Amino acid sequence: MRLKRSAEFARIKQHGNRIVKGCLIANWMELPSEAVSRLGVITSRRVGGAVIRSRARRLLREVFRLNRHVLRCPVDIVLIARRSISQLKYTDVEADYLNALRRAKLLKPAP
């Protein structure tokens, strides 16, 4: 359930949609209904040292994993960590992620 090849990242960046919210940038492409949502994470050296970048990747993967069920359709999504993620806790990162999805209209309607 992860994007790994650089061609997949490039395809999403070139043909997909983009939104910036708080500590992350989200690029995504909607997929056919029978597909499975996948995630790719980018953390550049501007985010911080190796420990900080690894923590940022873990936070973003966990936010995606725990909130997969709220997506209204399958998507390939690339999350790019911004420098501000280094000082945030999980709940703050999750709030930014869900707000980005809400603005992008990727969340299921609330019952």
Side-chain angles (χ1 to χ4, degrees):
M1 299 203 334
R2 287 175 44 192
L3 298 169
K4 295 181 181 177
R5 296 179 24 249
S6 61
E8 296 170 329
F9 282 84
R11 178 180 56 86
I12 293 169
K13 187 174 182 180
Q14 191 172 42
H15 300 292
N17 299 304
R18 179 177 190 257
I19 196 162
V20 178
K21 184 64 178 160
C23 68
L24 58 89
I25 300 169
N27 293 305
W28 76 92
M29 278 184 68
E30 294 187 20
L31 300 173
S33 60
E34 65 276 354
V36 175
S37 293
R38 299 183 303 165
L39 171 72
V41 177
I42 298 173
T43 53
S44 72
R45 288 196 177 150
R46 287 189 298 186
V47 171
V51 172
I52 294 170
R53 290 195 312 270
S54 294
R55 179 179 179 271
R57 282 192 292 271
R58 286 193 311 269
L59 281 172
L60 292 173
R61 285 185 197 128
E62 187 69 1
V63 164
F64 175 78
R65 184 183 74 83
L66 293 177
N67 292 291
R68 269 190 314 228
H69 65 281
V70 300
L71 293 170
R72 69 172 171 77
C73 63
V75 293
D76 277 351
I77 188 166
V78 175
L79 298 178
I80 304 169
R82 297 175 79 193
R83 187 175 292 169
S84 62
I85 199 169
S86 65
Q87 289 126 19
L88 298 180
K89 295 182 179 183
Y90 172 82
T91 54
D92 301 324
V93 175
E94 183 179 40
D96 284 347
Y97 174 74
L98 291 174
N99 285 334
L101 292 182
R102 193 170 294 114
R103 280 184 47 203
K105 296 180 174 58
L106 292 175
L107 293 180
K108 288 180 184 174

